[in-house]
Every structure is written in structure tokens, then in C-alpha cells.
Amino acid sequence: MGVSYKKLFKLLIDRDLRKKDLQEMTGLSSATITKMAKNENVNIEVVVKVCEALHVDVGDIMEIEHK
């Protein structure tokens, strides 16, 4: 089982935002954004910051992949 942030990056494209924009909106480091791009685990506080910045719910930016 793993986590996928494909929904987040599709949402960024739909809103004409770049990863750098997300970084500035949330105050997250580029390393954290990279971890999300690689579908690596991040702290729940990171997920909450992203959701608050984009005004979305957790299910709008990530999903659990069942293998």
C-alpha cells in the first residue's frame, strides 16, 4: 500500500500553478514538494498545509494505492 499525490499535481495544472507556487503558498521546502512528487510519505501537517493553501480536502490531493 502506498500514497499517491497525482491528484495534487493534476489540481496544480488545472489551476495553472507550479510546484514553486505551491511552495510559496505553503512555506514548505522544495525537498518536501519533491517527496510528494515522488509519492513518498510526508507528515500529516504537510498535507494539512497544502489543503489549507488550496482550499481543498485531503481526498482532493491524495489517495491510497492498494497493490
Side-chain angles (χ1 to χ4, degrees):
M1 201 166 43
V3 175
S4 171
Y5 295 99
K6 289 178 187 175
K7 286 182 167 185
L8 167 61
F9 295 104
K10 182 180 182 321
L11 182 66
L12 292 179
I13 291 167
D14 291 346
R15 294 189 181 185
D16 198 29
L17 295 170
R18 298 171 298 138
K19 292 177 188 174
K20 185 73 174 170
D21 297 324
L22 180 62
Q23 185 180 347
E24 291 170 0
M25 292 168 68
T26 58
L28 297 172
S29 69
S30 59
T32 300
I33 303 294
T34 299
K35 284 179 77 171
M36 294 179 87
K38 293 180 178 180
N39 293 324
E40 296 178 4
N41 292 330
V42 295
N43 191 307
I44 193 68
E45 291 176 5
V46 169
V47 174
V48 170
K49 282 184 182 182
V50 171
C51 288
E52 288 177 345
L54 297 174
H55 306 286
V56 296
D57 196 16
V58 174
D60 297 325
I61 65 164
M62 64 182 285
E63 60 189 348
I64 296 173
E65 293 183 327
H66 303 278
K67 295 182 180 180

